PDB file of all heavy atoms in Angstrom:
ATOM      1  N   SER H 347     216.953 123.338   1.140  1.00 92.00           N
ATOM      2  CA  SER H 347     217.627 124.145   2.128  1.00 92.00           C
ATOM      3  C   SER H 347     218.266 123.207   3.153  1.00 92.00           C
ATOM      4  O   SER H 347     219.373 123.466   3.542  1.00 92.00           O
ATOM      5  CB  SER H 347     216.642 125.009   2.911  1.00 92.00           C
ATOM      6  OG  SER H 347     215.614 124.287   3.410  1.00 92.00           O
ATOM      7  N   THR H 348     217.629 122.109   3.532  1.00 93.00           N
ATOM      8  CA  THR H 348     218.125 121.123   4.434  1.00 93.00           C
ATOM      9  C   THR H 348     219.401 120.457   3.813  1.00 93.00           C
ATOM     10  O   THR H 348     220.457 120.278   4.429  1.00 93.00           O
ATOM     11  CB  THR H 348     217.145 120.142   4.833  1.00 93.00           C
ATOM     12  OG1 THR H 348     216.041 120.770   5.233  1.00 93.00           O
ATOM     13  CG2 THR H 348     217.697 119.236   5.989  1.00 93.00           C
ATOM     14  N   VAL H 349     219.243 120.004   2.526  1.00 95.00           N
ATOM     15  CA  VAL H 349     220.293 119.264   1.887  1.00 95.00           C
ATOM     16  C   VAL H 349     221.489 120.243   1.657  1.00 95.00           C
ATOM     17  O   VAL H 349     222.693 119.766   1.898  1.00 95.00           O
ATOM     18  CB  VAL H 349     219.746 118.757   0.501  1.00 95.00           C
ATOM     19  CG1 VAL H 349     220.961 118.134  -0.288  1.00 95.00           C
ATOM     20  CG2 VAL H 349     218.715 117.760   0.708  1.00 95.00           C
ATOM     21  N   ALA H 350     221.265 121.438   1.339  1.00 94.00           N
ATOM     22  CA  ALA H 350     222.356 122.413   1.033  1.00 94.00           C
ATOM     23  C   ALA H 350     223.090 122.642   2.321  1.00 94.00           C
ATOM     24  O   ALA H 350     224.353 122.827   2.396  1.00 94.00           O
ATOM     25  CB  ALA H 350     221.806 123.673   0.490  1.00 94.00           C
ATOM     26  N   PHE H 351     222.365 122.737   3.508  1.00 95.00           N
ATOM     27  CA  PHE H 351     222.990 123.007   4.795  1.00 95.00           C
ATOM     28  C   PHE H 351     223.779 121.737   5.232  1.00 95.00           C
ATOM     29  O   PHE H 351     225.016 121.989   5.660  1.00 95.00           O
ATOM     30  CB  PHE H 351     221.868 123.144   5.893  1.00 95.00           C
ATOM     31  CG  PHE H 351     222.081 124.330   6.666  1.00 95.00           C
ATOM     32  CD1 PHE H 351     221.358 125.612   6.297  1.00 95.00           C
ATOM     33  CD2 PHE H 351     222.734 124.394   7.862  1.00 95.00           C
ATOM     34  CE1 PHE H 351     221.625 126.768   7.100  1.00 95.00           C
ATOM     35  CE2 PHE H 351     222.906 125.466   8.622  1.00 95.00           C
ATOM     36  CZ  PHE H 351     222.346 126.723   8.188  1.00 95.00           C
ATOM     37  N   HIS H 352     223.327 120.526   5.054  1.00 95.00           N
ATOM     38  CA  HIS H 352     224.099 119.269   5.322  1.00 95.00           C
ATOM     39  C   HIS H 352     225.389 119.250   4.473  1.00 95.00           C
ATOM     40  O   HIS H 352     226.464 119.097   4.975  1.00 95.00           O
ATOM     41  CB  HIS H 352     223.202 118.052   4.942  1.00 95.00           C
ATOM     42  CG  HIS H 352     222.468 117.523   6.190  1.00 95.00           C
ATOM     43  ND1 HIS H 352     223.064 117.021   7.294  1.00 95.00           N
ATOM     44  CD2 HIS H 352     221.191 117.482   6.360  1.00 95.00           C
ATOM     45  CE1 HIS H 352     222.158 116.657   8.122  1.00 95.00           C
ATOM     46  NE2 HIS H 352     221.033 116.918   7.681  1.00 95.00           N
ATOM     47  N   GLN H 353     225.243 119.610   3.183  1.00 95.00           N
ATOM     48  CA  GLN H 353     226.414 119.551   2.327  1.00 95.00           C
ATOM     49  C   GLN H 353     227.465 120.601   2.603  1.00 95.00           C
ATOM     50  O   GLN H 353     228.639 120.312   2.539  1.00 95.00           O
ATOM     51  CB  GLN H 353     225.985 119.704   0.818  1.00 95.00           C
ATOM     52  CG  GLN H 353     227.134 119.490  -0.184  1.00 95.00           C
ATOM     53  CD  GLN H 353     227.653 118.077  -0.091  1.00 95.00           C
ATOM     54  OE1 GLN H 353     227.017 117.059   0.292  1.00 95.00           O
ATOM     55  NE2 GLN H 353     228.940 117.943  -0.433  1.00 95.00           N
ATOM     56  N   THR H 354     227.016 121.771   2.953  1.00 96.00           N
ATOM     57  CA  THR H 354     227.888 122.926   3.318  1.00 96.00           C
ATOM     58  C   THR H 354     228.703 122.485   4.585  1.00 96.00           C
ATOM     59  O   THR H 354     229.882 122.598   4.696  1.00 96.00           O
ATOM     60  CB  THR H 354     227.142 124.237   3.499  1.00 96.00           C
ATOM     61  OG1 THR H 354     226.446 124.595   2.377  1.00 96.00           O
ATOM     62  CG2 THR H 354     228.138 125.338   3.975  1.00 96.00           C
ATOM     63  N   LEU H 355     228.067 121.923   5.586  1.00 96.00           N
ATOM     64  CA  LEU H 355     228.777 121.510   6.771  1.00 96.00           C
ATOM     65  C   LEU H 355     229.616 120.284   6.523  1.00 96.00           C
ATOM     66  O   LEU H 355     230.714 120.160   7.154  1.00 96.00           O
ATOM     67  CB  LEU H 355     227.731 121.295   7.889  1.00 96.00           C
ATOM     68  CG  LEU H 355     227.086 122.440   8.451  1.00 96.00           C
ATOM     69  CD1 LEU H 355     226.137 122.144   9.506  1.00 96.00           C
ATOM     70  CD2 LEU H 355     227.985 123.528   8.894  1.00 96.00           C
ATOM     71  N   THR H 356     229.177 119.424   5.593  1.00 96.00           N
ATOM     72  CA  THR H 356     230.075 118.260   5.181  1.00 96.00           C
ATOM     73  C   THR H 356     231.356 118.723   4.655  1.00 96.00           C
ATOM     74  O   THR H 356     232.474 118.269   4.900  1.00 96.00           O
ATOM     75  CB  THR H 356     229.333 117.340   4.302  1.00 96.00           C
ATOM     76  OG1 THR H 356     228.216 116.798   5.033  1.00 96.00           O
ATOM     77  CG2 THR H 356     230.243 116.302   3.908  1.00 96.00           C
ATOM     78  N   GLU H 357     231.277 119.703   3.675  1.00 96.00           N
ATOM     79  CA  GLU H 357     232.414 120.250   2.955  1.00 96.00           C
ATOM     80  C   GLU H 357     233.355 121.025   4.017  1.00 96.00           C
ATOM     81  O   GLU H 357     234.557 120.847   3.843  1.00 96.00           O
ATOM     82  CB  GLU H 357     232.065 121.236   1.855  1.00 96.00           C
ATOM     83  CG  GLU H 357     231.231 120.592   0.761  1.00 96.00           C
ATOM     84  CD  GLU H 357     232.099 119.635  -0.123  1.00 96.00           C
ATOM     85  OE1 GLU H 357     233.326 119.673   0.021  1.00 96.00           O
ATOM     86  OE2 GLU H 357     231.536 118.937  -0.985  1.00 96.00           O
ATOM     87  N   LEU H 358     232.664 121.679   4.960  1.00 96.00           N
ATOM     88  CA  LEU H 358     233.485 122.422   5.948  1.00 96.00           C
ATOM     89  C   LEU H 358     234.296 121.328   6.881  1.00 96.00           C
ATOM     90  O   LEU H 358     235.422 121.516   7.101  1.00 96.00           O
ATOM     91  CB  LEU H 358     232.568 123.128   6.900  1.00 96.00           C
ATOM     92  CG  LEU H 358     233.201 123.740   8.124  1.00 96.00           C
ATOM     93  CD1 LEU H 358     234.326 124.639   7.852  1.00 96.00           C
ATOM     94  CD2 LEU H 358     232.041 124.524   8.970  1.00 96.00           C
ATOM     95  N   LEU H 359     233.625 120.201   7.174  1.00 96.00           N
ATOM     96  CA  LEU H 359     234.301 119.151   7.976  1.00 96.00           C
ATOM     97  C   LEU H 359     235.437 118.546   7.196  1.00 96.00           C
ATOM     98  O   LEU H 359     236.481 118.341   7.750  1.00 96.00           O
ATOM     99  CB  LEU H 359     233.264 118.104   8.361  1.00 96.00           C
ATOM    100  CG  LEU H 359     233.800 117.070   9.421  1.00 96.00           C
ATOM    101  CD1 LEU H 359     233.885 117.597  10.757  1.00 96.00           C
ATOM    102  CD2 LEU H 359     232.818 115.904   9.454  1.00 96.00           C
ATOM    103  N   LEU H 360     235.166 118.307   5.911  1.00 96.00           N
ATOM    104  CA  LEU H 360     236.275 117.697   5.141  1.00 96.00           C
ATOM    105  C   LEU H 360     237.400 118.692   4.957  1.00 96.00           C
ATOM    106  O   LEU H 360     238.585 118.260   4.832  1.00 96.00           O
ATOM    107  CB  LEU H 360     235.709 117.278   3.654  1.00 96.00           C
ATOM    108  CG  LEU H 360     234.783 116.093   3.693  1.00 96.00           C
ATOM    109  CD1 LEU H 360     234.104 116.040   2.318  1.00 96.00           C
ATOM    110  CD2 LEU H 360     235.500 114.796   4.030  1.00 96.00           C
ATOM    111  N   CYS H 361     237.097 119.957   4.777  1.00 95.00           N
ATOM    112  CA  CYS H 361     238.210 121.016   4.663  1.00 95.00           C
ATOM    113  C   CYS H 361     239.033 121.015   5.972  1.00 95.00           C
ATOM    114  O   CYS H 361     240.261 121.074   5.894  1.00 95.00           O
ATOM    115  CB  CYS H 361     237.529 122.346   4.402  1.00 95.00           C
ATOM    116  SG  CYS H 361     238.776 123.630   4.185  1.00 95.00           S
ATOM    117  N   LEU H 362     238.378 120.995   7.083  1.00 96.00           N
ATOM    118  CA  LEU H 362     239.010 121.019   8.422  1.00 96.00           C
ATOM    119  C   LEU H 362     239.920 119.726   8.577  1.00 96.00           C
ATOM    120  O   LEU H 362     240.999 119.788   9.067  1.00 96.00           O
ATOM    121  CB  LEU H 362     238.106 121.088   9.570  1.00 96.00           C
ATOM    122  CG  LEU H 362     237.272 122.377   9.663  1.00 96.00           C
ATOM    123  CD1 LEU H 362     236.190 122.365  10.763  1.00 96.00           C
ATOM    124  CD2 LEU H 362     238.189 123.579   9.917  1.00 96.00           C
ATOM    125  N   ALA H 363     239.330 118.649   8.152  1.00 95.00           N
ATOM    126  CA  ALA H 363     240.064 117.357   8.234  1.00 95.00           C
ATOM    127  C   ALA H 363     241.254 117.373   7.260  1.00 95.00           C
ATOM    128  O   ALA H 363     242.397 116.915   7.782  1.00 95.00           O
ATOM    129  CB  ALA H 363     239.154 116.141   7.883  1.00 95.00           C
ATOM    130  N   ARG H 364     241.132 117.894   6.124  1.00 94.00           N
ATOM    131  CA  ARG H 364     242.248 117.960   5.223  1.00 94.00           C
ATOM    132  C   ARG H 364     243.390 118.833   5.834  1.00 94.00           C
ATOM    133  O   ARG H 364     244.588 118.463   5.733  1.00 94.00           O
ATOM    134  CB  ARG H 364     241.757 118.423   3.829  1.00 94.00           C
ATOM    135  CG  ARG H 364     242.868 118.748   2.773  1.00 94.00           C
ATOM    136  CD  ARG H 364     243.279 117.323   2.230  1.00 94.00           C
ATOM    137  NE  ARG H 364     242.320 116.701   1.461  1.00 94.00           N
ATOM    138  CZ  ARG H 364     242.394 115.495   1.032  1.00 94.00           C
ATOM    139  NH1 ARG H 364     243.556 114.773   1.037  1.00 94.00           N
ATOM    140  NH2 ARG H 364     241.365 114.922   0.261  1.00 94.00           N
ATOM    141  N   CYS H 365     243.082 119.987   6.370  1.00 94.00           N
ATOM    142  CA  CYS H 365     244.059 120.960   6.904  1.00 94.00           C
ATOM    143  C   CYS H 365     244.737 120.150   8.102  1.00 94.00           C
ATOM    144  O   CYS H 365     245.970 120.381   8.258  1.00 94.00           O
ATOM    145  CB  CYS H 365     243.310 122.179   7.464  1.00 94.00           C
ATOM    146  SG  CYS H 365     242.751 123.193   6.100  1.00 94.00           S
ATOM    147  N   ALA H 366     244.017 119.450   8.945  1.00 94.00           N
ATOM    148  CA  ALA H 366     244.581 118.815  10.052  1.00 94.00           C
ATOM    149  C   ALA H 366     245.493 117.664   9.679  1.00 94.00           C
ATOM    150  O   ALA H 366     246.577 117.571  10.302  1.00 94.00           O
ATOM    151  CB  ALA H 366     243.443 118.154  11.012  1.00 94.00           C
ATOM    152  N   VAL H 367     245.168 116.915   8.691  1.00 93.00           N
ATOM    153  CA  VAL H 367     246.052 115.801   8.243  1.00 93.00           C
ATOM    154  C   VAL H 367     247.278 116.308   7.607  1.00 93.00           C
ATOM    155  O   VAL H 367     248.362 115.685   7.721  1.00 93.00           O
ATOM    156  CB  VAL H 367     245.166 114.879   7.109  1.00 93.00           C
ATOM    157  CG1 VAL H 367     246.180 113.843   6.476  1.00 93.00           C
ATOM    158  CG2 VAL H 367     244.064 114.158   7.925  1.00 93.00           C
ATOM    159  N   ASN H 368     247.175 117.422   6.906  1.00 92.00           N
ATOM    160  CA  ASN H 368     248.376 118.040   6.305  1.00 92.00           C
ATOM    161  C   ASN H 368     249.104 118.939   7.186  1.00 92.00           C
ATOM    162  O   ASN H 368     250.046 119.678   6.748  1.00 92.00           O
ATOM    163  CB  ASN H 368     247.954 118.776   5.043  1.00 92.00           C
ATOM    164  CG  ASN H 368     247.319 117.957   4.018  1.00 92.00           C
ATOM    165  OD1 ASN H 368     247.582 116.644   3.925  1.00 92.00           O
ATOM    166  ND2 ASN H 368     246.481 118.432   3.206  1.00 92.00           N
ATOM    167  N   GLU H 369     248.776 119.070   8.466  1.00 90.00           N
ATOM    168  CA  GLU H 369     249.408 119.950   9.435  1.00 90.00           C
ATOM    169  C   GLU H 369     250.851 119.632   9.523  1.00 90.00           C
ATOM    170  O   GLU H 369     251.269 118.460   9.656  1.00 90.00           O
ATOM    171  CB  GLU H 369     248.743 119.782  10.800  1.00 90.00           C
ATOM    172  CG  GLU H 369     249.377 120.686  11.869  1.00 90.00           C
ATOM    173  CD  GLU H 369     249.314 122.089  11.508  1.00 90.00           C
ATOM    174  OE1 GLU H 369     248.270 122.687  11.184  1.00 90.00           O
ATOM    175  OE2 GLU H 369     250.363 122.885  11.492  1.00 90.00           O
TER     176      GLU H 369
END
Side-chain angles (χ1 to χ4, degrees):
S347 55
T348 311
V349 175
F351 233 90
H352 268 292
Q353 186 60 30
T354 299
L355 293 179
T356 297
E357 295 290 349
L358 171 57
L359 189 74
L360 288 173
C361 181
L362 295 176
R364 178 73 66 183
C365 290
V367 169
N368 295 334
E369 180 60 53

